Amino acid sequence: MQASISLSLSSSSPITRSDCTAVANAYLCTPRSLRFCGLRREVFESKSLNSFSVSTRLVSCPRDSSFKKVCAALQSNGTPSKGGFDYDLVIIGAGVGGHGAALHAVEKGLKTAILEGDVVGGTCVNRGCVPSKALLAASGRMRELQNEHHMKSFGLQVAAAGYDRQGVADHANNLASKIRSNLTNSMKALGVDILTGTGTILGPQKLKYGKGGSGDTVITAKDIIIATGSVPLVPKGIEVDGKSVITSDHALKLEFVPEWIAIVGSGYIGLEFSDVYTALGSEVTFIEALDQLMPGFDPEIGKLAQRVLINPRKIDYHTGVFASKITPAKDGKPVIIELIDAKTKEPKGTVEVDAALIATGRAPFTQGLGLENINVQTQRGFVPVDERMRVIDANGKLVPHLFCIGDANGKMMLAHAASAQGISVVEQVSGKDHVLNHLSIPAACFTHPEISMVGLTEPQAREKAEKEGFEVSITKTSFKANTKALAENEGEGLAKLIYRPDTGEILGVHIFGLHAADLIHEASNAIAMGTHIQDIKYAVHAHPTLSEVLDELFKSAKVKVNSSSPVVQPVAV
Amino acid sequence: MASLLQSRTPSLSFSSSLCSTPVIRPSAFLLKPRSGSRIPVVRAKIREIFMPALSSTMTEGKIVSWIKSEGDVLSKGESVVVVESDKADMDVETFYDGILAAIVVNEGETAPVGTAIGILAETEDEISEAKAKATSQSSSAPAPSAPNVEESSPAPKVDAPSPAVAAAPAPTSAPSTPGKVVATPYAKKLAKQHKVDIGKLVGTGPFGRITPEDVEKAAGITPAPKSNVAVPPAPAASAAPAAVPPKAPASFPEIPGSTVVPFTTMQAAVSKNMVESLSVPTFRVGYPIATDALDALYEKVKPKGVTMTALLAKAAAMALAQHPVVNTTCKDGKSFTYNSSINIAVAVAINGGLITPVLQDADKLDLYLLSQKWKELVEKARAKQLQPNEYNSGTFTLSNLGMFGVDRFDAILPPGQGAIMAVGASKPTVIADKDGFFSVKNKMLVNVTADHRIIYGADLAAFLQTFSKIIENPESLTM
């Protein structure tokens, strides 16, 4: 019995998408009555419910649909269901959000098309997360090699570390191309129609695409998803010349490394670039409109991050000021930044630097979408949606069959949030209600060390607790006590858990430290699954690993209930 | 060599040693009454809380957190603030009762050792006054906010770490043109660290801006390719990458296959001290001394745990007691500093480094106590547990290479001391006496290096004569 089970599993599990028949055979060979042993079966079931990952997608399908249909769907991208539409689903924008939605739609057997006006992959892959990670990987190593003290503590000696700017830039560019082609191939392999051109909505369930003008093609779709993303926000008064005054779009090409660069905005983008530039030898001046650097982070984490990421580095900052006017370098003059007080608007002097990076945030890219044709008014450019990503028109009514995901709706401007929203929409259009819990979506900032977070910050949690009348507790663990972190000589770090002591519910987790971005998922999954502290604290972590920082965090929480309560459905916001 | 480094300074013993002898180290955490040179009204009632020196290598400290907040009543001995040094986070306590009137340096900010980080008022009435003072200071404190232009501060004297000077660097000198001084972020940090008035510098960078190199030049630091050598302990310096691309510093020919081994902290400190010693005009006087009597005495007392080091240190101390000028220090090039006690530092090679444990009051202790003390010091040195005053309080240094068979050598005078004695091996030597008879006696060569600004040839000669008499008639050593 045991042997036959494991045999049937091993034959079916490594099967890939292109090998449909084999899958079918493997399943057919398995007698219907034969049940997989408990653990394996659970794995299978959870995959079929939440099959976000590409490799497991197919294996899970045959459970409720006929194999033949799935195979056909894979080869021909389905046939549009009744109603006479060209497609079941058309996604405008092939960024990470659109891509996630397209893959899931094919899995659900929908005939899917994706429109791309620029390049597949969108901001994240071409001008955002992906190339910036390449720069951070290179500059992080540079920083480490230059830190003699750090190297010496390992007993290592490094003589004069140096870098080749073009080499670093090429690494970023090559990574972007590689991920872009991966994305394109994955959609092509599934048979998603990739249509080129900008899309304009003409009316309900109808849109056109093309290069503009008369050559445009009109298509119809049962459902439409807007996933057009965003562009760097440049406040007025700032003249971007792409050379000395730049946005993240230009900075990622790393065409030059200025001796002194001002970074306007100290959020994720600004922080990551300060990490890159200081490691490559630049000096950095932050200009932040709010009174605190790193707004948006949990204050305690922000404070620690400032101690580690700002103060010891060649960085200074002006807080509580706007850059009211930025003039690019020309006629032998440096970049001149005029500052005004953020509140009183009084002049606060000027800053003269070699370059300025505008990292003040991102603006939705929703122009030319034809939203006026369906009576939708954007709010500061964002497309208004409800919690199910359904677009709301000017009268506050839902526009049927129209959804908007990702940066364009402004709910949570993160690539993986867009993808999750897209999957949620596909779930809905294929007949299953789904509401995404945004509080379970983690976020990360890839400085050295990294910062990550999920759920509420401490002030947010306290405010919510006040309103709803519950108690909030905080517990913290330090990386200084973690064996693996100490082995890496990276003991600087903190993990912070915000929770309800009465129920054991996790309200938020914030991590600053080595590999924080990878560590956060234990917490975000717990929030998404509704797992409570009193349950997760019994989960075992390999020793010695950084994950023990979270293990300790959960164990140090003082929850008043001991027995595990039934799993609570995640609540959306 | 006098200030050779100690890598571990346990916090507990630090604070206890402080409590017992709070006046020994001016850099220690003390609440000094304000001297009143700038605000003459304030006397004794408003005290400043200074950034303490938590380790011998600490030049600046970061405020981790304030345990007390503004307005809290403090009583003597309470922890007030957590300071992060280059080694660890430590609680710092107050020595006075009072009210924490103002926090000058906020959490997460850094301040050089000796600058005011907070203001302590004695009564509530003085809080507002203290606060006013705090604001005048915080403008020049780490936060790179708009400089307070009205504060016309005296020209900074680089050497004196008085609060008035420490507060000086940030304000720009020209009130009419605020923001005219353009300095890069790192230049500003360096200026603060080295107490350089950035307003007085002329920038040589692009667009006339002040660069880190300009500040280093003003601070008298040769812009070495690795700035860490100049300021080894500063955490900022080690954390911030030395971004300067290698500037092809020296024209030494590259020998293939060579490896570069960077200095340890201790070695860097030795190097720094050695270079510093070049500024002192030294001279050397040698003296042969017969050691038969000393050797005989040593054989006698050896079973009682007396070491040759203790014998030599005792002899030197006794000679110094008769020649106090050899025990002096020249601190400013203008005066003699007569040291009240005779503290013999003894150079010890240890794990690739060099440290000088100090036998304090060597003239007053007897041989047995000295030997015991020496044993303790060597053990502590091995365990890297010497307290700063156990390795940097020497007034005279003894260096002995005799055990290796070295017959004579020449020592470098450590900065801050007047003289150092280099002792060679004791060897059988053929000696002709005044009647022309030959005999063979043990002899060692002693060579003293001294600072000629304060110790002249005749002084040294007289000192050595006394020393040789003591060695040749060593009975007095055991008394």
Side-chain angles (χ1 to χ4, degrees):
Chain A
M1 190 67 181
Q2 278 284 6
S4 72
I5 290 169
S6 59
L7 206 123
S8 71
L9 270 172
S10 60
S11 64
S12 62
S13 47
I15 284 159
T16 52
R17 191 174 302 112
S18 56
D19 207 5
C20 302
T21 25
V23 178
N25 287 342
Y27 273 80
L28 292 173
C29 293
T30 313
R32 212 72 195 139
S33 58
L34 184 74
R35 290 286 172 211
F36 297 121
C37 61
L39 186 66
R40 279 297 198 173
R41 198 176 146 67
E42 268 178 36
V43 170
F44 254 60
E45 275 176 354
S46 67
K47 274 180 189 164
S48 67
L49 286 175
N50 303 289
S51 49
F52 293 1
S53 101
V54 179
S55 62
T56 58
R57 190 163 288 121
L58 199 140
V59 185
S60 60
C61 290
R63 281 188 58 79
D64 27 43
S65 54
S66 85
F67 306 127
K68 272 186 187 157
K69 190 183 163 194
V70 172
C71 296
L74 288 172
Q75 276 143 16
S76 67
N77 183 21
T79 41
S81 41
K82 59 250 168 222
F85 295 108
D86 296 331
Y87 291 98
D88 289 325
L89 180 66
V90 170
I91 301 157
I92 310 175
V96 169
H99 174 259
L103 258 54
H104 195 59
V106 172
E107 182 187 316
K108 289 285 167 189
L110 303 179
K111 183 170 168 60
T112 310
I114 196 161
L115 285 184
E116 182 50 60
D118 184 18
V119 279
V120 170
T123 297
C124 172
V125 172
N126 300 293
R127 298 174 300 273
C129 346
V130 171
S132 67
K133 293 306 96 60
L135 293 185
L136 282 159
S139 60
R141 280 180 174 78
M142 190 66 200
R143 183 183 296 285
E144 210 176 339
L145 292 174
Q146 282 173 331
N147 189 342
E148 276 181 61
H149 176 71
H150 182 77
M151 296 318 279
K152 208 188 285 167
S153 61
F154 285 115
L156 299 181
Q157 284 150 10
V158 177
Y163 69 92
D164 162 31
R165 182 201 53 78
Q166 193 55 51
V168 178
D170 288 347
H171 173 51
N173 194 28
N174 293 344
L175 180 71
S177 330
K178 186 169 188 177
I179 303 295
R180 184 165 59 233
S181 67
N182 283 356
L183 238 58
T184 313
N185 292 342
S186 70
M187 290 196 290
K188 276 189 184 152
L190 285 180
V192 175
D193 285 355
I194 303 175
L195 311 173
T196 311
T198 50
T200 307
I201 295 165
L202 299 173
Q205 300 176 302
K206 190 170 168 192
L207 72 166
K208 64 170 184 180
Y209 71 94
K211 300 264 178 263
S214 57
D216 285 2
T217 318
V218 175
I219 49 173
T220 56
K222 185 168 157 285
D223 293 289
I224 298 171
I225 297 178
I226 300 169
T228 43
S230 63
V231 291
L233 171 71
V234 179
K236 64 176 187 336
I238 296 176
E239 187 189 335
V240 171
D241 68 347
K243 290 185 182 75
S244 62
V245 179
I246 57 178
T247 66
S248 55
D249 288 1
H250 311 103
L252 287 164
K253 293 184 187 141
L254 203 72
E255 276 168 356
F256 84 124
V257 178
E259 276 179 39
W260 184 7
I261 186 166
I263 299 181
V264 185
S266 65
Y268 297 80
I269 305 174
L271 260 188
E272 289 191 353
F273 274 109
S274 80
D275 204 77
V276 170
Y277 279 118
T278 52
L280 298 184
S282 305
E283 297 184 37
V284 169
T285 295
F286 268 120
I287 295 165
E288 171 59 55
L290 296 174
D291 290 335
Q292 281 277 321
L293 284 181
M294 294 180 249
F297 292 95
D298 183 87
E300 198 169 354
I301 296 287
K303 207 156 69 180
L304 179 63
Q306 190 173 332
R307 268 179 63 187
V308 177
L309 300 176
I310 309 276
N311 296 347
R313 297 184 180 174
K314 294 177 180 175
I315 301 177
D316 69 352
Y317 47 87
H318 301 263
T319 51
V321 289
F322 282 129
S324 60
K325 187 165 186 276
I326 300 185
T327 318
K330 55 186 165 197
D331 310 329
K333 280 197 200 137
V335 176
I336 297 169
I337 304 175
E338 290 175 24
L339 301 178
I340 56 167
D341 191 286
K343 292 186 192 87
T344 63
K345 310 290 177 212
E346 282 168 21
K348 296 282 271 186
T350 58
V351 174
E352 295 177 11
V353 288
D354 296 325
L357 167 66
I358 313 306
T360 42
R362 300 189 60 87
F365 180 64
T366 50
Q367 278 174 330
L369 264 175
L371 292 170
E372 60 285 349
N373 299 337
I374 42 168
N375 192 27
V376 171
Q377 266 179 357
T378 58
Q379 293 164 355
R380 291 178 298 123
F382 294 109
V383 178
V385 293
D386 71 351
E387 79 279 1
R388 288 177 172 80
M389 310 303 139
R390 294 177 290 197
V391 175
I392 300 168
D393 71 9
N395 305 322
K397 288 198 185 115
L398 293 177
V399 180
H401 304 291
L402 184 64
F403 302 84
C404 178
I405 62 169
D407 287 4
N409 71 30
K411 267 182 176 290
M412 199 177 210
M413 295 173 83
L414 295 167
H416 49 275
S419 184
Q421 290 170 354
I423 288 162
S424 171
V425 168
V426 171
E427 283 289 307
Q428 290 170 55
V429 301
S430 49
K432 191 168 158 253
D433 192 23
H434 187 274
V435 179
L436 180 66
N437 179 6
H438 282 86
L439 282 179
S440 72
I441 298 179
C445 183
F446 294 83
T447 43
H448 295 91
E450 295 170 344
I451 313 171
S452 64
M453 69 210 72
V454 65
L456 305 173
T457 63
E458 187 178 338
Q460 285 169 346
R462 296 220 180 270
E463 193 188 323
K464 190 179 174 200
E466 182 112 337
K467 233 183 268 167
E468 297 175 18
F470 60 84
E471 210 186 314
V472 169
S473 285
I474 310 281
T475 183
K476 284 173 263 187
T477 52
S478 164
F479 279 63
K480 276 191 184 116
N482 182 276
T483 312
K484 187 73 190 305
L486 290 177
E488 302 279 346
N489 270 327
E490 302 270 3
E492 190 96 58
L494 176 80
K496 175 175 177 179
L497 168 67
I498 303 158
Y499 65 102
R500 281 182 67 157
D502 53 344
T503 61
E505 186 189 341
I506 302 171
L507 300 173
V509 173
H510 302 264
I511 311 175
F512 173 77
L514 185 63
H515 294 308
D518 292 310
L519 291 175
I520 196 70
H521 297 97
E522 185 167 10
S524 65
N525 287 352
I527 294 178
M529 304 295 160
T531 315
H532 285 194
I533 296 167
Q534 60 270 31
D535 298 324
I536 201 169
K537 75 175 185 183
Y538 293 110
V540 181
H541 297 72
H543 175 76
T545 58
L546 292 171
S547 72
E548 289 170 294
V549 170
L550 266 85
D551 186 29
E552 241 183 84
L553 190 65
F554 294 133
K555 286 191 163 83
S556 68
K558 292 189 174 53
V559 181
K560 283 166 190 158
V561 282
N562 279 324
S563 58
S564 118
S565 53
V567 171
V568 182
Q569 273 308 90
V571 187
V573 286
Chain B
M1 277 194 287
S3 58
L4 285 177
L5 297 168
Q6 183 51 32
S7 63
R8 212 148 33 111
T9 310
S11 60
L12 279 178
S13 59
F14 164 74
S15 58
S16 63
S17 77
L18 235 191
C19 292
S20 54
T21 54
V23 215
I24 271 190
R25 294 170 55 203
S27 60
F29 171 68
L30 289 177
L31 292 158
K32 292 191 269 191
R34 182 124 182 126
S35 64
S37 60
R38 279 200 299 163
I39 307 173
V41 207
V42 187
R43 281 246 170 258
K45 304 222 170 144
I46 296 175
R47 302 172 203 271
E48 288 176 343
I49 302 175
F50 291 100
M51 174 60 73
L54 296 174
S55 74
S56 57
T57 56
M58 177 170 164
T59 55
E60 61 173 16
K62 202 194 284 176
I63 309 290
V64 177
S65 61
W66 282 93
I67 300 166
K68 303 287 176 182
S69 3
E70 291 186 3
D72 283 2
V73 177
L74 310 176
S75 51
K76 204 168 139 183
E78 258 189 301
S79 291
V80 185
V81 59
V82 182
V83 170
E84 183 191 276
S85 73
D86 48 345
K87 306 284 188 312
D89 292 2
M90 289 185 203
D91 284 13
V92 174
E93 47 196 53
T94 167
F95 292 108
Y96 291 90
D97 294 340
I99 299 161
L100 182 59
I103 287 171
V104 180
V105 180
N106 289 315
E107 291 183 0
E109 288 174 355
T110 307
V113 166
T115 46
I117 55 176
I119 309 278
L120 192 71
E122 207 159 83
T123 61
E124 282 187 25
D125 307 336
E126 283 138 14
I127 290 181
S128 58
E129 198 183 328
K131 276 199 171 143
K133 198 162 83 172
T135 41
S136 76
Q137 281 191 342
S138 61
S139 64
S140 54
S145 53
N148 186 345
V149 207
E150 279 147 30
E151 187 173 348
S152 63
S153 40
K157 294 158 278 174
V158 172
D159 271 342
S162 82
V165 171
T172 53
S173 56
S176 53
T177 52
K180 195 70 190 164
V181 174
V182 180
T184 73
Y186 188 48
K188 283 185 212 154
K189 272 187 186 166
L190 277 177
K192 200 178 76 194
Q193 202 178 330
H194 296 294
K195 305 186 175 70
V196 172
D197 184 351
I198 221 159
K200 292 194 163 53
L201 296 185
V202 178
T204 61
F207 315 108
R209 77 169 65 124
I210 295 161
T211 63
E213 290 77 30
D214 294 334
V215 177
E216 281 178 341
K217 214 190 282 168
I221 303 163
T222 38
K226 295 275 175 264
S227 58
N228 291 18
V229 177
V231 271
S238 54
V244 200
K247 278 182 186 162
S251 53
F252 299 123
E254 185 83 15
I255 296 161
S258 59
T259 46
V260 177
V261 180
F263 283 155
T264 62
T265 325
M266 189 190 266
Q267 288 161 344
V270 172
S271 161
K272 178 171 163 255
N273 276 337
M274 291 303 96
V275 173
E276 239 171 62
S277 74
L278 292 178
S279 62
V280 176
T282 55
F283 74 112
R284 292 145 188 96
V285 174
Y287 208 99
I289 302 173
T291 60
D292 296 271
L294 184 73
D295 293 341
L297 176 70
Y298 180 50
E299 285 309 316
K300 240 192 278 172
V301 292
K302 203 176 173 183
K304 295 174 189 165
V306 174
T307 60
M308 186 49 94
T309 304
L311 280 169
L312 290 171
K314 177 73 180 168
M318 285 170 68
L320 284 171
Q322 292 179 43
H323 300 273
V325 74
V326 186
N327 199 38
T328 55
T329 309
C330 184
K331 284 189 173 150
D332 50 4
K334 288 182 219 149
S335 61
F336 295 82
T337 304
Y338 282 90
N339 294 304
S340 57
S341 43
I342 295 173
N343 299 336
I344 308 287
V346 185
V348 175
I350 206 153
N351 306 335
L354 177 61
I355 196 154
T356 55
V358 175
L359 287 164
Q360 288 175 348
D361 293 316
D363 57 326
K364 298 197 178 77
L365 298 178
D366 69 38
L367 260 185
Y368 307 102
L369 275 175
L370 266 185
S371 302
Q372 204 183 331
K373 184 89 194 148
W374 179 246
K375 217 176 133 200
E376 283 170 29
L377 286 172
V378 171
E379 270 164 22
K380 275 190 177 178
R382 280 216 187 88
K384 296 192 172 182
Q385 275 171 348
L386 283 180
Q387 299 299 304
N389 67 334
E390 287 174 327
Y391 60 81
N392 64 13
S393 59
T395 58
F396 181 90
T397 303
L398 195 63
S399 180
N400 183 2
L401 293 180
M403 57 284 219
F404 301 114
V406 171
D407 71 336
R408 83 199 78 174
F409 71 105
D410 192 36
I412 294 181
L413 181 66
Q417 290 184 20
I420 178 170
M421 178 187 279
V423 181
S426 173
K427 282 184 171 173
T429 314
V430 178
I431 291 175
D433 68 10
K434 56 181 184 282
D435 299 324
F437 289 107
F438 294 105
S439 62
V440 174
K441 282 189 171 167
N442 282 341
K443 254 193 169 181
M444 69 176 181
L445 280 169
V446 168
N447 197 5
V448 177
T449 306
D451 181 348
H452 206 299
R453 291 174 301 176
I454 44 175
I455 302 165
Y456 306 158
D459 298 329
L460 264 197
F463 164 75
L464 280 166
Q465 207 175 9
T466 309
F467 180 74
S468 96
K469 274 200 186 120
I470 296 170
I471 295 290
E472 286 170 3
N473 304 288
E475 292 72 31
S476 59
L477 288 174
T478 55
M479 284 188 288

